[in-house]
Amino acid sequence: MSALKISWQAALALVFCVIAAFTLPLAGAEGSNPFSLGTTFTIFALVGLAALISAMRVTDALAAVILFVGAHGAAWLLLAGIAGNEGAARAPFFLLIAAAWLLAWRCVTVLSALRPKDRAVSTFLRLLIPTVFGAWILILWEAITRGAGIPFVLLPPPSSIGVRLVNSVPVLWADVNQTIFHSVIVGYIIGCGAGFATAILADRVPFLRRGLLPIGNMVSALPIIGVAPILVMWFGFDWHSKAAVVVIMTFFPMLVNTVAGLAASGHMERDLMRTYASGYWTTLLKLRLPAAAPFIFNALKINSTLALIGAIVAEFFGTPVVGMGFRISTEVGRMNIDMVWAEIAVAALAGSVFYGAIALVERAVTFWHPSVRGG
Amino acid sequence: MQPAHSNTVIEASKLGLTFQTSDGPVRALSDVDLSIGKGEFVSFIGPSGCGKTTFLRVIADLERPTSGSISINGMSPQQAREARAYGYVFQAAALFPWRTIENNVALPLEIMGISRDERKARIKRTLDLVNLSGFEKKYPWQLSGGMQQRASIARALAFDADLLLMDEPFGALDEIVRDHLNEQLLKLWGQTNKTICFVTHSIPEAVYLSTRIVVMSPRPGRVTDVIESTLPRERPLDIRESPEFLAIAARVRDGLRAGHSYDD
C-alpha cells in the first residue's frame, strides 16, 4: 500500500481542489461565467491528476515534468479565462491558483533535488529553476490584479505592461540610448576613473591623503536631489548634466574601496617586494593593485546600480523630451502607469545586464580570491 | 666593491636596535658582535622576543639599527638590498595567489629586468633544485604548505644571490615535512655553496643544519653563545642520534637556559 508517497504540497493542492469544487463557479454569477464547463473541468483535471500522478511511484524527472505541465497548464487556463472579466473572480479561482502554485513549488523542489550527470542538463536546470520562480511571481501578480480587479493606476497586471513594452520599443530604445548609453556609461567611466586616480594620488602623496579623503567624504554626503538641479544649470539640459550627477555618485565608492584595497596586501608581501628593491610603481602594479582587485570590483558593482539610479533621478530636474527619468516623471502625470512600469522593467533589465557583465569580468580577474575559487 | 676581508659576508659590531613603542622604548638588539664568513650555514636560535628575526631584518634592510654598525659584502644594508645581494624566505610562503608557481618564481626576475629566455631557464633550474618540476602551471593554493614553502625558496634562489636569509621558514610545517625539507635544504646548500642565515626555535633543526649556532636571549636581545659545529658537512638524517649531535644539542640547550635565568 506504499504506492502513494504524497508530498504536503500535492496533498494541500488536492484539498484546495475539493474545496473549490464545492464552491463553484470560478468567477462571476451562474449565468455570466467566463469559464465554460469544459475549461473548468480541464483545470480541475490538470491540477488533480498532476498532484496524484506525482505522488505515485514515478521517477523524479517524470514527476517534475507532470507537475510542470499541470501547474502551468492550469495557471494558463485560469489567467486566460479571467482576462477581460477583471474583478469577477470568486474564491475557487484563487484556490485553484494557489493549488497550481503549490504544484509548481513541488516541481521546483523535485528539480532542485535532481543531480543530473550531463553538464548541459544541469546548466538547463540551473536556469529553469529561477525562471519558474520568477514566472510565478508574475503569474500571482497577474491573477491577483485581474482576479480581484485592482485599479489599473494602482498596479497594472504584468500582461498589459508587457503589451505596452512591446508596442513602445522605439520610444523605450530612444530613452535607453539617452539615459544609459550617454548619461550612465560616460558618467560611470569618468566617475570610477576619477575615484581610482584620486585613490592612487592620495596613496602616493601623504598630504593629499589627509586633505582629499575628507573632501571625498563630503562629496558623497551631497544630497543628489539638491545637486542635480545645480548641475543641470551648469552643464545644460542634455545628458552632460546627468553624466555629471553620475560622476558625483560613483566617485566616492570607488575612492574609498580603492584606498581600502591598496592597504589590503600583507606586510610580508610588501617586505618581499622591498627585498627585491622594487620601486613604488612596480610594487603597485605587481602586488598592490592585484591585491586590491576584489575591492575595486566591489566598487564597480555598487556603482553600476548607483549610476542608473543617479541618471534616472537627475532627469526629473530638466531634460530634453527623451530619457528614462523624463518618461517616468511625465507618464506618471498622465496616469499611464503601464508605461512607467515598462520603463522600470527596462531599467531593471539594463541594470541586471550591467551588473552581470561586471560580475563576469570580476570572476575572470579575481579567480584566485577565496570568495571566487570557493575555498 | 671588494670588502677588506673577502671571505666575510656579514660583519656586525656593537649593533643595537631600540624600537620606540607606546609603552616606551624596547631594546630588540643590544651589542651584537658577529661575523659570518662565505659559505657558512649559521642558525640563530632563542626564545621569542630575543631579536633573532630582528637581526635578520636588519641584515635585509627591513629594519634600521639605532647603534653600532653592520656591513654586508662590505656594503651598507641598504646598498646590499639595492644590489639584490640576498634572497629572503619568510615564515609563510607569501606567494602571490594570482600568479602560477612559475610566475611567482619569475617575480624577482621580472623586477630585476631579466630577459624572458633567461627567466625561463632559471625557473626551470630552481624548480628542479627544490623538486617542484611539473608544478609550474599550478596556483599556490593548489599546493600543500610544504610545497608552497619550497616554491618560496625557489623564488629566493632564482636570482642567484650568494646570501640566503631564512626566517623560520619551516616553523608552520609538521615534523615529517620539516625533516624532509631540512634534508633538501642541506643538499641545496652543498650544491650551491651559498651563505645561509637561518632563524629557528627548534634545537634539533639548528644543530642538524648549521656549521655555527648563535644562541640569543631576550630583554635585551643579545648573543649569549656561539657554538661551532663539529659535525661533518655530509649529514644523513640519522646523524641526529649520534653522541656528537646530542652533545652539541645539550650545549645549545644550556646556552638557552643560561639566557633565560637572566630574567629570574
Side-chain angles (χ1 to χ4, degrees):
Chain A
M1 266 319 285
S2 59
L4 280 177
K5 195 169 91 281
I6 197 155
S7 60
W8 69 267
Q9 290 104 332
L12 199 56
L14 284 175
V15 172
F16 284 175
C17 275
V18 172
I19 301 174
F22 283 106
T23 49
L24 284 172
L26 287 174
E30 288 295 345
S32 61
N33 189 349
F35 293 94
S36 70
L37 197 64
T39 315
T40 310
F41 179 76
T42 314
I43 295 169
F44 274 102
L46 278 169
V47 174
L49 283 177
L52 282 174
I53 294 174
S54 76
M56 289 178 187
R57 280 180 175 267
V58 291
T59 62
D60 283 348
L62 182 63
V65 170
I66 290 166
L67 285 166
F68 186 87
V69 172
H72 295 90
W76 176 259
L77 289 175
L78 284 164
L79 293 181
I82 204 70
N85 300 283
E86 278 76 9
R90 298 180 59 230
F93 173 85
F94 293 108
L95 280 171
L96 286 174
I97 278 286
W101 174 57
L102 284 166
L103 293 186
W105 181 345
R106 180 67 200 157
C107 173
V108 170
T109 312
V110 172
L111 286 177
S112 309
L114 286 182
R115 293 279 173 275
K117 292 208 172 58
D118 197 345
R119 271 184 72 98
V121 176
S122 112
T123 311
F124 171 72
L125 278 185
R126 244 191 20 240
L127 293 175
L128 180 69
I129 291 168
T131 309
V132 172
F133 212 92
W136 270 92
I137 293 176
L138 296 181
I139 291 171
L140 293 177
W141 176 355
E142 179 86 12
I144 292 169
T145 47
R146 288 214 191 270
I150 291 175
F152 196 77
V153 287
L154 283 189
L155 187 62
S159 57
S160 59
I161 295 172
V163 169
R164 185 63 186 239
L165 207 152
V166 171
N167 290 340
S168 334
V169 165
V171 175
L172 289 170
W173 175 251
D175 291 347
V176 165
N177 183 40
Q178 169 80 4
T179 303
I180 292 180
F181 293 125
H182 287 91
S183 315
V184 170
I185 296 284
V186 172
Y188 181 82
I189 290 171
I190 296 177
C192 291
F196 181 79
T198 310
I200 302 281
L201 214 63
D203 183 71
R204 185 78 182 112
V205 191
F207 91 86
L208 284 182
R209 183 162 37 220
R210 306 252 175 87
L212 267 182
L213 284 186
I215 291 176
N217 213 331
M218 201 194 69
V219 168
S220 80
L222 294 178
I224 198 73
I225 303 284
V227 174
I230 295 171
L231 289 176
V232 169
M233 282 194 269
W234 286 0
F235 297 104
F237 277 103
D238 209 352
W239 60 268
H240 305 87
S241 57
K242 285 77 199 172
V245 171
V246 174
V247 168
I248 287 182
M249 284 193 86
T250 54
F251 173 80
F252 189 68
M254 193 57 167
L255 174 65
V256 169
N257 274 287
T258 309
V259 167
L262 288 176
S265 56
H267 283 290
M268 214 180 267
E269 283 79 2
R270 275 187 257 183
D271 279 347
L272 180 76
M273 295 303 274
R274 198 171 142 79
T275 68
Y276 300 147
S278 154
Y280 175 83
W281 294 107
T282 313
T283 305
L284 186 73
L285 220 64
K286 293 202 184 288
L287 169 64
R288 300 177 68 208
L289 280 184
F295 290 81
I296 293 169
F297 274 102
N298 249 342
L300 288 175
K301 287 196 289 187
I302 295 168
N303 281 346
S304 71
T305 45
L306 276 183
L308 203 58
I309 295 170
I312 290 175
V313 169
E315 285 180 4
F316 278 56
F317 301 96
T319 171
V321 290
V322 64
M324 301 173 80
F326 162 80
R327 195 77 55 209
I328 289 172
S329 63
T330 48
E331 298 296 336
V332 161
R334 293 159 65 184
M335 290 289 184
N336 284 333
I337 302 301
D338 53 348
M339 189 62 185
V340 175
W341 280 96
E343 288 283 358
I344 290 173
V346 170
L349 181 71
S352 304
V353 169
F354 197 4
Y355 186 94
I358 292 166
L360 275 181
V361 177
E362 180 188 27
R363 284 187 75 84
V365 173
T366 64
F367 64 93
W368 50 270
H369 195 259
S371 68
V372 176
R373 66 179 152 93
Chain B
M1 286 292 280
Q2 275 294 315
H5 323 281
S6 61
N7 256 345
T8 311
V9 178
I10 296 166
E11 180 83 67
S13 74
K14 299 239 167 291
L15 192 74
L17 196 161
T18 305
F19 288 114
Q20 299 297 336
T21 69
S22 50
D23 294 338
V26 172
R27 287 168 73 193
L29 288 174
S30 143
D31 280 339
V32 175
D33 289 303
L34 196 68
S35 136
I36 296 171
K38 190 164 166 49
E40 274 197 89
F41 195 128
V42 181
S43 283
F44 297 83
I45 191 165
S48 43
C50 72
K52 53 193 193 299
T53 295
T54 310
F55 185 63
L56 211 62
R57 290 176 63 86
V58 168
I59 299 173
D61 190 36
L62 297 173
E63 308 285 356
R64 294 274 157 87
T66 46
S67 64
S69 69
I70 183 163
S71 70
I72 292 104
N73 294 333
M75 295 179 277
S76 77
Q78 187 181 349
Q79 287 167 330
R81 179 172 64 84
E82 278 161 7
R84 283 112 182 195
Y86 64 84
Y88 199 107
V89 180
F90 291 86
Q91 289 171 5
L95 299 166
F96 293 1
W98 51 86
R99 283 173 172 254
T100 56
I101 294 300
E102 62 176 355
N103 284 337
N104 264 293
V105 176
L107 175 72
L109 306 176
E110 285 170 21
I111 293 170
M112 294 167 195
I114 287 164
S115 74
R116 181 176 288 268
D117 292 342
E118 176 68 17
R119 283 209 301 258
K120 245 186 185 158
R122 289 203 191 185
I123 291 165
K124 188 175 170 357
R125 200 171 66 223
T126 47
L127 283 180
D128 277 349
L129 219 49
V130 298
N131 276 337
L132 272 181
S133 323
F135 293 95
E136 292 88 350
K137 306 286 180 204
K138 293 274 186 218
Y139 285 95
W141 29 273
Q142 295 169 318
L143 303 187
S144 68
M147 289 165 108
Q148 289 183 19
Q149 198 53 278
R150 258 149 61 197
S152 90
I153 293 172
R155 182 178 58 186
L157 293 172
F159 52 98
D160 261 341
D162 287 329
L163 175 61
L164 203 54
L165 306 174
M166 306 179 87
D167 181 10
E168 293 187 41
F170 310 137
L173 305 176
D174 66 66
E175 190 108 11
I176 299 160
V177 177
R178 179 192 278 230
D179 278 356
H180 181 62
L181 291 182
N182 280 341
E183 219 181 346
Q184 285 192 329
L185 181 62
L186 265 190
K187 212 156 89 196
L188 204 137
W189 173 63
Q191 284 169 3
T192 55
N193 200 35
K194 288 186 190 302
T195 311
I196 299 183
C197 294
F198 190 93
V199 167
T200 179
H201 49 224
S202 155
I203 296 173
E205 188 174 61
V207 178
Y208 177 66
L209 291 173
S210 321
T211 57
R212 206 143 54 108
I213 302 159
V214 178
V215 182
M216 299 183 75
S217 77
R219 285 176 290 273
R222 66 200 189 285
V223 176
T224 51
D225 198 2
V226 178
I227 299 161
E228 296 282 343
S229 177
T230 51
L231 297 175
R233 272 183 83 108
E234 203 65 39
R235 298 173 186 182
L237 265 179
D238 53 18
I239 203 170
R240 296 182 299 181
E241 270 99 65
S242 71
E244 223 179 336
F245 184 96
L246 296 174
I248 300 169
R251 206 182 140 190
V252 173
R253 192 167 288 117
D254 286 345
L256 287 171
R257 205 170 286 145
H260 252 303
S261 64
Y262 188 84
D263 274 350
D264 305 329

